[in-house]
mmCIF file of all heavy atoms in Angstrom:
data_model
loop_
_atom_site.group_PDB
_atom_site.id
_atom_site.type_symbol
_atom_site.label_atom_id
_atom_site.label_comp_id
_atom_site.label_asym_id
_atom_site.label_seq_id
_atom_site.Cartn_x
_atom_site.Cartn_y
_atom_site.Cartn_z
ATOM 1 N N MET A 1 -8.738 -6.601 4.321
ATOM 2 C CA MET A 1 -7.317 -6.634 4.481
ATOM 3 C C MET A 1 -6.995 -7.615 5.592
ATOM 4 O O MET A 1 -7.647 -7.643 6.635
ATOM 5 C CB MET A 1 -6.720 -5.279 4.757
ATOM 6 C CG MET A 1 -5.217 -5.264 4.548
ATOM 7 S SD MET A 1 -4.447 -3.627 4.720
ATOM 8 C CE MET A 1 -5.349 -2.698 3.545
ATOM 9 N N TYR A 2 -5.888 -8.404 5.479
ATOM 10 C CA TYR A 2 -5.538 -9.352 6.451
ATOM 11 C C TYR A 2 -4.307 -8.831 7.239
ATOM 12 O O TYR A 2 -3.600 -7.951 6.756
ATOM 13 C CB TYR A 2 -5.115 -10.650 5.756
ATOM 14 C CG TYR A 2 -6.201 -11.295 4.952
ATOM 15 C CD1 TYR A 2 -6.422 -10.995 3.641
ATOM 16 C CD2 TYR A 2 -7.098 -12.165 5.546
ATOM 17 C CE1 TYR A 2 -7.446 -11.516 2.901
ATOM 18 C CE2 TYR A 2 -8.150 -12.689 4.884
ATOM 19 C CZ TYR A 2 -8.305 -12.440 3.521
ATOM 20 O OH TYR A 2 -9.353 -12.991 2.807
ATOM 21 N N GLN A 3 -4.090 -9.414 8.388
ATOM 22 C CA GLN A 3 -2.937 -9.063 9.204
ATOM 23 C C GLN A 3 -1.968 -10.303 9.196
ATOM 24 O O GLN A 3 -2.455 -11.425 9.323
ATOM 25 C CB GLN A 3 -3.282 -8.739 10.661
ATOM 26 C CG GLN A 3 -4.043 -7.461 10.745
ATOM 27 C CD GLN A 3 -3.100 -6.237 10.799
ATOM 28 O OE1 GLN A 3 -1.932 -6.348 10.644
ATOM 29 N NE2 GLN A 3 -3.706 -5.121 11.024
ATOM 30 N N TYR A 4 -0.721 -10.067 9.095
ATOM 31 C CA TYR A 4 0.268 -11.090 9.167
ATOM 32 C C TYR A 4 1.476 -10.523 9.925
ATOM 33 O O TYR A 4 2.126 -9.599 9.477
ATOM 34 C CB TYR A 4 0.753 -11.555 7.761
ATOM 35 C CG TYR A 4 1.875 -12.488 7.773
ATOM 36 C CD1 TYR A 4 1.641 -13.821 8.107
ATOM 37 C CD2 TYR A 4 3.149 -12.155 7.438
ATOM 38 C CE1 TYR A 4 2.660 -14.735 8.094
ATOM 39 C CE2 TYR A 4 4.174 -13.045 7.430
ATOM 40 C CZ TYR A 4 3.931 -14.355 7.796
ATOM 41 O OH TYR A 4 4.962 -15.237 7.797
ATOM 42 N N ARG A 5 1.732 -11.152 11.001
ATOM 43 C CA ARG A 5 2.821 -10.684 11.870
ATOM 44 C C ARG A 5 2.805 -9.189 12.089
ATOM 45 O O ARG A 5 3.782 -8.466 11.901
ATOM 46 C CB ARG A 5 4.201 -11.117 11.321
ATOM 47 C CG ARG A 5 4.378 -12.630 11.299
ATOM 48 C CD ARG A 5 5.708 -13.026 10.865
ATOM 49 N NE ARG A 5 5.759 -14.469 10.698
ATOM 50 C CZ ARG A 5 6.851 -15.119 10.396
ATOM 51 N NH1 ARG A 5 7.939 -14.476 10.179
ATOM 52 N NH2 ARG A 5 6.842 -16.413 10.320
ATOM 53 N N HIS A 6 1.639 -8.701 12.394
ATOM 54 C CA HIS A 6 1.441 -7.251 12.683
ATOM 55 C C HIS A 6 1.600 -6.401 11.429
ATOM 56 O O HIS A 6 1.793 -5.179 11.574
ATOM 57 C CB HIS A 6 2.337 -6.758 13.794
ATOM 58 C CG HIS A 6 2.245 -7.669 15.021
ATOM 59 N ND1 HIS A 6 1.056 -7.705 15.770
ATOM 60 C CD2 HIS A 6 3.058 -8.548 15.562
ATOM 61 C CE1 HIS A 6 1.240 -8.586 16.768
ATOM 62 N NE2 HIS A 6 2.461 -9.073 16.642
ATOM 63 N N MET A 7 1.640 -6.927 10.243
ATOM 64 C CA MET A 7 1.715 -6.137 9.018
ATOM 65 C C MET A 7 0.434 -6.330 8.254
ATOM 66 O O MET A 7 0.001 -7.455 8.041
ATOM 67 C CB MET A 7 2.861 -6.616 8.200
ATOM 68 C CG MET A 7 4.231 -6.513 8.817
ATOM 69 S SD MET A 7 5.581 -7.010 7.705
ATOM 70 C CE MET A 7 5.124 -8.673 7.316
ATOM 71 N N PRO A 8 -0.180 -5.255 7.776
ATOM 72 C CA PRO A 8 -1.352 -5.438 6.907
ATOM 73 C C PRO A 8 -0.942 -6.002 5.560
ATOM 74 O O PRO A 8 0.101 -5.685 5.026
ATOM 75 C CB PRO A 8 -1.905 -4.002 6.766
ATOM 76 C CG PRO A 8 -0.770 -3.086 7.168
ATOM 77 C CD PRO A 8 0.152 -3.875 8.004
ATOM 78 N N MET A 9 -1.781 -6.890 5.081
ATOM 79 C CA MET A 9 -1.491 -7.496 3.770
ATOM 80 C C MET A 9 -2.675 -7.253 2.846
ATOM 81 O O MET A 9 -3.840 -7.152 3.344
ATOM 82 C CB MET A 9 -1.309 -9.024 3.909
ATOM 83 C CG MET A 9 -0.054 -9.375 4.657
ATOM 84 S SD MET A 9 0.270 -11.156 4.590
ATOM 85 C CE MET A 9 -1.165 -11.870 5.317
ATOM 86 N N LYS A 10 -2.417 -7.236 1.589
ATOM 87 C CA LYS A 10 -3.441 -7.157 0.607
ATOM 88 C C LYS A 10 -3.573 -8.489 -0.120
ATOM 89 O O LYS A 10 -2.556 -9.221 -0.309
ATOM 90 C CB LYS A 10 -3.099 -6.053 -0.428
ATOM 91 C CG LYS A 10 -3.132 -4.649 0.164
ATOM 92 C CD LYS A 10 -2.904 -3.644 -0.835
ATOM 93 C CE LYS A 10 -2.975 -2.268 -0.286
ATOM 94 N NZ LYS A 10 -2.781 -1.258 -1.260
ATOM 95 N N ARG A 11 -4.753 -8.840 -0.485
ATOM 96 C CA ARG A 11 -4.979 -10.093 -1.225
ATOM 97 C C ARG A 11 -4.590 -9.956 -2.691
ATOM 98 O O ARG A 11 -4.771 -8.871 -3.319
ATOM 99 C CB ARG A 11 -6.461 -10.392 -1.153
ATOM 100 C CG ARG A 11 -6.794 -11.768 -1.697
ATOM 101 C CD ARG A 11 -8.281 -12.029 -1.579
ATOM 102 N NE ARG A 11 -8.524 -13.323 -2.139
ATOM 103 C CZ ARG A 11 -9.238 -14.234 -1.565
ATOM 104 N NH1 ARG A 11 -9.811 -14.039 -0.404
ATOM 105 N NH2 ARG A 11 -9.427 -15.407 -2.146
ATOM 106 N N THR A 12 -3.971 -11.008 -3.203
ATOM 107 C CA THR A 12 -3.582 -11.029 -4.625
ATOM 108 C C THR A 12 -3.743 -12.449 -5.188
ATOM 109 O O THR A 12 -4.040 -13.339 -4.460
ATOM 110 C CB THR A 12 -2.144 -10.538 -4.746
ATOM 111 O OG1 THR A 12 -1.810 -10.319 -6.152
ATOM 112 C CG2 THR A 12 -1.152 -11.487 -4.129
ATOM 113 N N ASN A 13 -3.577 -12.530 -6.478
ATOM 114 C CA ASN A 13 -3.623 -13.851 -7.129
ATOM 115 C C ASN A 13 -2.244 -14.202 -7.651
ATOM 116 O O ASN A 13 -1.487 -13.323 -8.132
ATOM 117 C CB ASN A 13 -4.590 -13.807 -8.328
ATOM 118 C CG ASN A 13 -6.000 -13.623 -7.933
ATOM 119 O OD1 ASN A 13 -6.455 -14.264 -7.029
ATOM 120 N ND2 ASN A 13 -6.693 -12.757 -8.546
ATOM 121 N N VAL A 14 -1.853 -15.441 -7.542
ATOM 122 C CA VAL A 14 -0.611 -15.912 -8.044
ATOM 123 C C VAL A 14 -0.900 -17.041 -9.097
ATOM 124 O O VAL A 14 -1.659 -17.936 -8.712
ATOM 125 C CB VAL A 14 0.301 -16.451 -6.960
ATOM 126 C CG1 VAL A 14 1.563 -17.122 -7.468
ATOM 127 C CG2 VAL A 14 0.594 -15.369 -5.952
ATOM 128 N N TYR A 15 -0.350 -16.914 -10.225
ATOM 129 C CA TYR A 15 -0.521 -17.991 -11.229
ATOM 130 C C TYR A 15 0.646 -18.933 -11.202
ATOM 131 O O TYR A 15 1.792 -18.458 -11.189
ATOM 132 C CB TYR A 15 -0.704 -17.382 -12.634
ATOM 133 C CG TYR A 15 -1.940 -16.559 -12.790
ATOM 134 C CD1 TYR A 15 -2.010 -15.208 -12.458
ATOM 135 C CD2 TYR A 15 -3.107 -17.229 -13.176
ATOM 136 C CE1 TYR A 15 -3.205 -14.541 -12.583
ATOM 137 C CE2 TYR A 15 -4.308 -16.491 -13.331
ATOM 138 C CZ TYR A 15 -4.345 -15.163 -13.035
ATOM 139 O OH TYR A 15 -5.497 -14.462 -13.092
ATOM 140 N N ALA A 16 0.392 -20.235 -11.096
ATOM 141 C CA ALA A 16 1.425 -21.202 -11.076
ATOM 142 C C ALA A 16 1.029 -22.392 -12.023
ATOM 143 O O ALA A 16 -0.137 -22.677 -12.177
ATOM 144 C CB ALA A 16 1.577 -21.704 -9.628
ATOM 145 N N ASP A 17 2.057 -22.978 -12.628
ATOM 146 C CA ASP A 17 1.715 -24.128 -13.499
ATOM 147 C C ASP A 17 1.409 -25.340 -12.512
ATOM 148 O O ASP A 17 1.595 -25.267 -11.326
ATOM 149 C CB ASP A 17 2.801 -24.454 -14.444
ATOM 150 C CG ASP A 17 4.163 -24.815 -13.833
ATOM 151 O OD1 ASP A 17 4.171 -25.378 -12.653
ATOM 152 O OD2 ASP A 17 5.193 -24.557 -14.413
ATOM 153 N N ALA A 18 0.882 -26.345 -13.115
ATOM 154 C CA ALA A 18 0.396 -27.501 -12.339
ATOM 155 C C ALA A 18 1.526 -28.153 -11.527
ATOM 156 O O ALA A 18 1.287 -28.504 -10.361
ATOM 157 C CB ALA A 18 -0.153 -28.587 -13.337
ATOM 158 N N GLU A 19 2.755 -28.235 -12.052
ATOM 159 C CA GLU A 19 3.800 -28.814 -11.258
ATOM 160 C C GLU A 19 4.146 -27.983 -10.054
ATOM 161 O O GLU A 19 4.328 -28.502 -8.958
ATOM 162 C CB GLU A 19 5.059 -28.953 -12.143
ATOM 163 C CG GLU A 19 6.202 -29.622 -11.460
ATOM 164 C CD GLU A 19 7.432 -29.745 -12.412
ATOM 165 O OE1 GLU A 19 7.320 -29.476 -13.595
ATOM 166 O OE2 GLU A 19 8.506 -30.113 -11.868
ATOM 167 N N ASP A 20 4.249 -26.659 -10.196
ATOM 168 C CA ASP A 20 4.578 -25.750 -9.085
ATOM 169 C C ASP A 20 3.459 -25.826 -8.056
ATOM 170 O O ASP A 20 3.705 -25.815 -6.856
ATOM 171 C CB ASP A 20 4.861 -24.344 -9.554
ATOM 172 C CG ASP A 20 6.142 -24.170 -10.247
ATOM 173 O OD1 ASP A 20 7.001 -25.057 -10.145
ATOM 174 O OD2 ASP A 20 6.308 -23.164 -11.000
ATOM 175 N N LEU A 21 2.203 -25.771 -8.572
ATOM 176 C CA LEU A 21 1.112 -25.861 -7.618
ATOM 177 C C LEU A 21 1.064 -27.099 -6.791
ATOM 178 O O LEU A 21 0.791 -27.054 -5.586
ATOM 179 C CB LEU A 21 -0.240 -25.710 -8.383
ATOM 180 C CG LEU A 21 -1.499 -25.470 -7.595
ATOM 181 C CD1 LEU A 21 -1.362 -24.262 -6.653
ATOM 182 C CD2 LEU A 21 -2.663 -25.233 -8.527
ATOM 183 N N THR A 22 1.441 -28.235 -7.394
ATOM 184 C CA THR A 22 1.534 -29.524 -6.689
ATOM 185 C C THR A 22 2.541 -29.410 -5.565
ATOM 186 O O THR A 22 2.361 -29.810 -4.443
ATOM 187 C CB THR A 22 1.805 -30.637 -7.629
ATOM 188 O OG1 THR A 22 0.681 -30.746 -8.576
ATOM 189 C CG2 THR A 22 2.005 -31.941 -6.914
ATOM 190 N N ILE A 23 3.710 -28.822 -5.893
ATOM 191 C CA ILE A 23 4.785 -28.672 -4.958
ATOM 192 C C ILE A 23 4.356 -27.827 -3.762
ATOM 193 O O ILE A 23 4.607 -28.111 -2.607
ATOM 194 C CB ILE A 23 6.063 -28.050 -5.645
ATOM 195 C CG1 ILE A 23 6.649 -29.109 -6.663
ATOM 196 C CG2 ILE A 23 7.096 -27.606 -4.564
ATOM 197 C CD1 ILE A 23 7.690 -28.500 -7.523
ATOM 198 N N ILE A 24 3.734 -26.656 -4.093
ATOM 199 C CA ILE A 24 3.220 -25.798 -3.035
ATOM 200 C C ILE A 24 2.183 -26.485 -2.130
ATOM 201 O O ILE A 24 2.285 -26.422 -0.901
ATOM 202 C CB ILE A 24 2.593 -24.500 -3.706
ATOM 203 C CG1 ILE A 24 3.629 -23.676 -4.357
ATOM 204 C CG2 ILE A 24 1.808 -23.674 -2.622
ATOM 205 C CD1 ILE A 24 3.119 -22.649 -5.323
ATOM 206 N N LYS A 25 1.244 -27.160 -2.738
ATOM 207 C CA LYS A 25 0.187 -27.817 -2.011
ATOM 208 C C LYS A 25 0.778 -28.946 -1.088
ATOM 209 O O LYS A 25 0.425 -29.065 0.086
ATOM 210 C CB LYS A 25 -0.842 -28.446 -2.926
ATOM 211 C CG LYS A 25 -1.797 -27.442 -3.537
ATOM 212 C CD LYS A 25 -2.774 -28.119 -4.486
ATOM 213 C CE LYS A 25 -3.768 -27.136 -5.047
ATOM 214 N NZ LYS A 25 -4.679 -26.602 -4.082
ATOM 215 N N GLU A 26 1.718 -29.722 -1.620
ATOM 216 C CA GLU A 26 2.289 -30.819 -0.826
ATOM 217 C C GLU A 26 3.131 -30.246 0.326
ATOM 218 O O GLU A 26 3.078 -30.802 1.456
ATOM 219 C CB GLU A 26 3.165 -31.708 -1.752
ATOM 220 C CG GLU A 26 2.335 -32.602 -2.652
ATOM 221 C CD GLU A 26 3.119 -33.431 -3.632
ATOM 222 O OE1 GLU A 26 4.384 -33.240 -3.703
ATOM 223 O OE2 GLU A 26 2.542 -34.241 -4.314
ATOM 224 N N ALA A 27 3.881 -29.171 0.055
ATOM 225 C CA ALA A 27 4.668 -28.610 1.110
ATOM 226 C C ALA A 27 3.826 -28.036 2.268
ATOM 227 O O ALA A 27 4.072 -28.210 3.413
ATOM 228 C CB ALA A 27 5.576 -27.478 0.561
ATOM 229 N N ALA A 28 2.687 -27.421 1.842
ATOM 230 C CA ALA A 28 1.797 -26.833 2.841
ATOM 231 C C ALA A 28 1.129 -27.934 3.717
ATOM 232 O O ALA A 28 1.101 -27.823 4.887
ATOM 233 C CB ALA A 28 0.745 -26.015 2.163
ATOM 234 N N LEU A 29 0.748 -28.961 3.016
ATOM 235 C CA LEU A 29 0.131 -30.132 3.756
ATOM 236 C C LEU A 29 1.121 -30.751 4.693
ATOM 237 O O LEU A 29 0.830 -31.009 5.855
ATOM 238 C CB LEU A 29 -0.325 -31.164 2.685
ATOM 239 C CG LEU A 29 -1.851 -31.352 2.627
ATOM 240 C CD1 LEU A 29 -2.127 -32.153 1.369
ATOM 241 C CD2 LEU A 29 -2.347 -32.048 3.865
ATOM 242 N N ARG A 30 2.329 -31.018 4.190
ATOM 243 C CA ARG A 30 3.392 -31.656 4.984
ATOM 244 C C ARG A 30 3.737 -30.807 6.215
ATOM 245 O O ARG A 30 3.939 -31.370 7.291
ATOM 246 C CB ARG A 30 4.614 -31.868 4.117
ATOM 247 C CG ARG A 30 5.670 -32.712 4.705
ATOM 248 C CD ARG A 30 6.759 -33.088 3.675
ATOM 249 N NE ARG A 30 7.332 -32.001 2.963
ATOM 250 C CZ ARG A 30 7.055 -31.670 1.652
ATOM 251 N NH1 ARG A 30 6.311 -32.518 0.929
ATOM 252 N NH2 ARG A 30 7.612 -30.684 1.041
ATOM 253 N N ARG A 31 3.759 -29.509 6.049
ATOM 254 C CA ARG A 31 4.145 -28.658 7.201
ATOM 255 C C ARG A 31 2.982 -28.163 7.995
ATOM 256 O O ARG A 31 3.172 -27.474 9.030
ATOM 257 C CB ARG A 31 4.967 -27.479 6.653
ATOM 258 C CG ARG A 31 6.261 -27.990 6.055
ATOM 259 C CD ARG A 31 7.168 -26.924 5.574
ATOM 260 N NE ARG A 31 7.397 -25.903 6.569
ATOM 261 C CZ ARG A 31 7.725 -24.640 6.353
ATOM 262 N NH1 ARG A 31 7.904 -24.245 5.110
ATOM 263 N NH2 ARG A 31 7.906 -23.770 7.309
ATOM 264 N N GLY A 32 1.793 -28.368 7.557
ATOM 265 C CA GLY A 32 0.638 -27.900 8.315
ATOM 266 C C GLY A 32 0.443 -26.404 8.261
ATOM 267 O O GLY A 32 -0.085 -25.880 9.244
ATOM 268 N N ILE A 33 0.787 -25.746 7.163
ATOM 269 C CA ILE A 33 0.622 -24.340 6.976
ATOM 270 C C ILE A 33 -0.044 -24.010 5.704
ATOM 271 O O ILE A 33 -0.284 -24.938 4.922
ATOM 272 C CB ILE A 33 1.954 -23.620 7.102
ATOM 273 C CG1 ILE A 33 2.950 -23.984 5.964
ATOM 274 C CG2 ILE A 33 2.599 -23.786 8.458
ATOM 275 C CD1 ILE A 33 4.263 -23.254 5.974
ATOM 276 N N SER A 34 -0.521 -22.800 5.540
ATOM 277 C CA SER A 34 -1.230 -22.472 4.269
ATOM 278 C C SER A 34 -0.379 -22.412 3.067
ATOM 279 O O SER A 34 0.911 -22.231 3.194
ATOM 280 C CB SER A 34 -1.906 -21.170 4.441
ATOM 281 O OG SER A 34 -0.996 -20.104 4.486
ATOM 282 N N GLU A 35 -0.951 -22.553 1.920
ATOM 283 C CA GLU A 35 -0.185 -22.384 0.645
ATOM 284 C C GLU A 35 0.336 -20.998 0.505
ATOM 285 O O GLU A 35 1.450 -20.799 0.067
ATOM 286 C CB GLU A 35 -1.150 -22.721 -0.541
ATOM 287 C CG GLU A 35 -1.572 -24.153 -0.530
ATOM 288 C CD GLU A 35 -2.675 -24.486 -1.587
ATOM 289 O OE1 GLU A 35 -2.867 -23.674 -2.504
ATOM 290 O OE2 GLU A 35 -3.359 -25.446 -1.385
ATOM 291 N N ALA A 36 -0.444 -20.010 1.077
ATOM 292 C CA ALA A 36 -0.007 -18.657 1.008
ATOM 293 C C ALA A 36 1.305 -18.447 1.807
ATOM 294 O O ALA A 36 2.215 -17.718 1.432
ATOM 295 C CB ALA A 36 -1.089 -17.692 1.523
ATOM 296 N N GLU A 37 1.359 -19.158 2.985
ATOM 297 C CA GLU A 37 2.565 -19.044 3.767
ATOM 298 C C GLU A 37 3.780 -19.642 3.063
ATOM 299 O O GLU A 37 4.900 -19.129 3.131
ATOM 300 C CB GLU A 37 2.381 -19.710 5.148
ATOM 301 C CG GLU A 37 3.565 -19.586 6.066
ATOM 302 C CD GLU A 37 3.947 -18.161 6.399
ATOM 303 O OE1 GLU A 37 3.124 -17.240 6.298
ATOM 304 O OE2 GLU A 37 5.146 -17.927 6.739
ATOM 305 N N ILE A 38 3.599 -20.743 2.334
ATOM 306 C CA ILE A 38 4.673 -21.341 1.597
ATOM 307 C C ILE A 38 5.174 -20.310 0.565
ATOM 308 O O ILE A 38 6.407 -20.122 0.427
ATOM 309 C CB ILE A 38 4.188 -22.639 0.816
ATOM 310 C CG1 ILE A 38 3.810 -23.725 1.828
ATOM 311 C CG2 ILE A 38 5.221 -23.109 -0.217
ATOM 312 C CD1 ILE A 38 5.056 -24.297 2.626
ATOM 313 N N ILE A 39 4.306 -19.588 -0.130
ATOM 314 C CA ILE A 39 4.691 -18.646 -1.122
ATOM 315 C C ILE A 39 5.410 -17.454 -0.447
ATOM 316 O O ILE A 39 6.424 -17.025 -0.921
ATOM 317 C CB ILE A 39 3.471 -18.188 -1.933
ATOM 318 C CG1 ILE A 39 2.972 -19.376 -2.834
ATOM 319 C CG2 ILE A 39 3.810 -17.004 -2.819
ATOM 320 C CD1 ILE A 39 1.581 -19.177 -3.412
ATOM 321 N N ARG A 40 4.841 -16.974 0.690
ATOM 322 C CA ARG A 40 5.512 -15.841 1.412
ATOM 323 C C ARG A 40 6.879 -16.227 1.833
ATOM 324 O O ARG A 40 7.813 -15.417 1.719
ATOM 325 C CB ARG A 40 4.670 -15.453 2.611
ATOM 326 C CG ARG A 40 3.480 -14.659 2.232
ATOM 327 C CD ARG A 40 2.733 -14.011 3.500
ATOM 328 N NE ARG A 40 2.186 -15.011 4.370
ATOM 329 C CZ ARG A 40 0.946 -15.410 4.270
ATOM 330 N NH1 ARG A 40 0.118 -14.874 3.367
ATOM 331 N NH2 ARG A 40 0.400 -16.297 5.104
ATOM 332 N N GLU A 41 7.086 -17.451 2.326
ATOM 333 C CA GLU A 41 8.378 -17.897 2.773
ATOM 334 C C GLU A 41 9.353 -17.940 1.579
ATOM 335 O O GLU A 41 10.509 -17.528 1.716
ATOM 336 C CB GLU A 41 8.311 -19.278 3.349
ATOM 337 C CG GLU A 41 7.753 -19.316 4.737
ATOM 338 C CD GLU A 41 7.787 -20.666 5.389
ATOM 339 O OE1 GLU A 41 8.167 -21.671 4.706
ATOM 340 O OE2 GLU A 41 7.312 -20.797 6.573
ATOM 341 N N GLY A 42 8.907 -18.419 0.438
ATOM 342 C CA GLY A 42 9.727 -18.433 -0.756
ATOM 343 C C GLY A 42 10.186 -17.009 -1.175
ATOM 344 O O GLY A 42 11.318 -16.795 -1.515
ATOM 345 N N ILE A 43 9.249 -16.048 -1.123
ATOM 346 C CA ILE A 43 9.615 -14.687 -1.415
ATOM 347 C C ILE A 43 10.645 -14.151 -0.484
ATOM 348 O O ILE A 43 11.645 -13.487 -0.844
ATOM 349 C CB ILE A 43 8.344 -13.797 -1.436
ATOM 350 C CG1 ILE A 43 7.472 -14.194 -2.647
ATOM 351 C CG2 ILE A 43 8.718 -12.293 -1.525
ATOM 352 C CD1 ILE A 43 6.056 -13.626 -2.565
ATOM 353 N N ARG A 44 10.442 -14.408 0.852
ATOM 354 C CA ARG A 44 11.388 -13.864 1.843
ATOM 355 C C ARG A 44 12.768 -14.563 1.714
ATOM 356 O O ARG A 44 13.773 -13.945 2.111
ATOM 357 C CB ARG A 44 10.841 -14.130 3.258
ATOM 358 C CG ARG A 44 9.677 -13.210 3.629
ATOM 359 C CD ARG A 44 9.402 -13.174 5.102
ATOM 360 N NE ARG A 44 8.982 -14.520 5.561
ATOM 361 C CZ ARG A 44 7.748 -14.975 5.579
ATOM 362 N NH1 ARG A 44 6.753 -14.281 5.173
ATOM 363 N NH2 ARG A 44 7.454 -16.208 6.022
ATOM 364 N N ARG A 45 12.831 -15.757 1.229
ATOM 365 C CA ARG A 45 14.119 -16.417 1.037
ATOM 366 C C ARG A 45 14.881 -15.968 -0.192
ATOM 367 O O ARG A 45 16.031 -16.283 -0.305
ATOM 368 C CB ARG A 45 13.941 -17.914 0.992
ATOM 369 C CG ARG A 45 13.490 -18.510 2.297
ATOM 370 C CD ARG A 45 13.324 -19.974 2.240
ATOM 371 N NE ARG A 45 12.941 -20.486 3.582
ATOM 372 C CZ ARG A 45 12.589 -21.680 3.772
ATOM 373 N NH1 ARG A 45 12.601 -22.578 2.816
ATOM 374 N NH2 ARG A 45 12.251 -22.052 5.014
ATOM 375 N N THR A 46 14.236 -15.256 -1.027
ATOM 376 C CA THR A 46 14.890 -14.758 -2.268
ATOM 377 C C THR A 46 15.846 -13.637 -1.874
ATOM 378 O O THR A 46 15.431 -12.712 -1.096
ATOM 379 C CB THR A 46 13.853 -14.216 -3.253
ATOM 380 O OG1 THR A 46 12.930 -15.210 -3.589
ATOM 381 C CG2 THR A 46 14.516 -13.671 -4.527
ATOM 382 N N PRO A 47 17.094 -13.699 -2.240
ATOM 383 C CA PRO A 47 18.023 -12.584 -1.918
ATOM 384 C C PRO A 47 17.491 -11.232 -2.334
ATOM 385 O O PRO A 47 16.906 -11.066 -3.426
ATOM 386 C CB PRO A 47 19.324 -12.943 -2.740
ATOM 387 C CG PRO A 47 19.163 -14.380 -3.057
ATOM 388 C CD PRO A 47 17.710 -14.675 -3.148
ATOM 389 N N PRO A 48 17.631 -10.238 -1.416
ATOM 390 C CA PRO A 48 17.072 -8.934 -1.757
ATOM 391 C C PRO A 48 17.501 -8.362 -3.111
ATOM 392 O O PRO A 48 16.663 -7.753 -3.753
ATOM 393 C CB PRO A 48 17.596 -8.040 -0.588
ATOM 394 C CG PRO A 48 17.892 -9.011 0.542
ATOM 395 C CD PRO A 48 18.279 -10.287 -0.146
ATOM 396 N N ARG A 49 18.701 -8.583 -3.495
ATOM 397 C CA ARG A 49 19.196 -8.131 -4.810
ATOM 398 C C ARG A 49 18.399 -8.666 -5.970
ATOM 399 O O ARG A 49 18.069 -7.978 -6.929
ATOM 400 C CB ARG A 49 20.619 -8.517 -5.032
ATOM 401 C CG ARG A 49 21.512 -7.339 -5.322
ATOM 402 C CD ARG A 49 22.856 -7.851 -5.571
ATOM 403 N NE ARG A 49 23.744 -7.082 -4.644
ATOM 404 C CZ ARG A 49 25.028 -7.206 -4.633
ATOM 405 N NH1 ARG A 49 25.690 -8.041 -5.390
ATOM 406 N NH2 ARG A 49 25.756 -6.474 -3.807
ATOM 407 N N ALA A 50 17.955 -9.946 -5.824
ATOM 408 C CA ALA A 50 17.207 -10.569 -6.926
ATOM 409 C C ALA A 50 15.772 -10.037 -6.971
ATOM 410 O O ALA A 50 15.070 -10.197 -7.992
ATOM 411 C CB ALA A 50 17.191 -12.097 -6.705
ATOM 412 N N ARG A 51 15.266 -9.424 -5.879
ATOM 413 C CA ARG A 51 13.880 -8.953 -5.843
ATOM 414 C C ARG A 51 13.718 -7.597 -6.482
ATOM 415 O O ARG A 51 12.697 -7.209 -6.871
ATOM 416 C CB ARG A 51 13.380 -8.869 -4.385
ATOM 417 C CG ARG A 51 13.150 -10.174 -3.777
ATOM 418 C CD ARG A 51 12.508 -10.010 -2.455
ATOM 419 N NE ARG A 51 13.480 -10.543 -1.461
ATOM 420 C CZ ARG A 51 13.487 -10.221 -0.207
ATOM 421 N NH1 ARG A 51 12.584 -9.379 0.276
ATOM 422 N NH2 ARG A 51 14.315 -10.760 0.632
ATOM 423 N N ARG A 52 14.845 -6.873 -6.636
ATOM 424 C CA ARG A 52 14.799 -5.563 -7.216
ATOM 425 C C ARG A 52 15.209 -5.609 -8.706
ATOM 426 O O ARG A 52 16.108 -6.305 -9.115
ATOM 427 C CB ARG A 52 15.701 -4.636 -6.511
ATOM 428 C CG ARG A 52 15.351 -4.437 -5.091
ATOM 429 C CD ARG A 52 16.234 -3.430 -4.413
ATOM 430 N NE ARG A 52 15.941 -3.345 -3.020
ATOM 431 C CZ ARG A 52 16.775 -3.570 -2.019
ATOM 432 N NH1 ARG A 52 18.013 -3.934 -2.273
ATOM 433 N NH2 ARG A 52 16.408 -3.534 -0.729
ATOM 434 N N SER A 53 14.498 -4.843 -9.492
ATOM 435 C CA SER A 53 14.838 -4.831 -10.960
ATOM 436 C C SER A 53 15.235 -3.457 -11.336
ATOM 437 O O SER A 53 15.106 -2.461 -10.630
ATOM 438 C CB SER A 53 13.745 -5.288 -11.812
ATOM 439 O OG SER A 53 12.430 -4.943 -11.314
#
């Protein structure tokens, strides 16, 4: 298990099409952060209402 900002995290897999994966990889490279952090940031930016079903 990994730690992120003092929160335990579990490892998972995310499936993305080639175009989305390219966007993620380029953003991570440009900002000097991991691809996982790009995905976490995207999730956190999603309005809470949209995250609940």
Side-chain angles (χ1 to χ4, degrees):
M1 193 176 306
Y2 300 91
Q3 290 278 5
Y4 174 75
R5 295 186 186 183
H6 309 291
M7 297 181 306
M9 292 191 299
K10 292 185 179 182
R11 186 179 180 132
T12 188
N13 293 314
V14 175
Y15 291 89
D17 62 29
E19 182 180 353
D20 289 341
L21 191 53
T22 298
I23 292 167
I24 292 165
K25 286 179 178 292
E26 287 176 355
L29 247 166
R30 190 170 51 252
R31 295 185 51 205
I33 61 177
S34 70
E35 294 170 22
E37 182 60 23
I38 295 293
I39 294 167
R40 284 191 292 268
E41 285 181 358
I43 291 167
R44 285 193 301 272
R45 289 180 180 175
T46 303
R49 235 184 234 182
R51 288 186 244 160
R52 296 186 185 120
S53 36

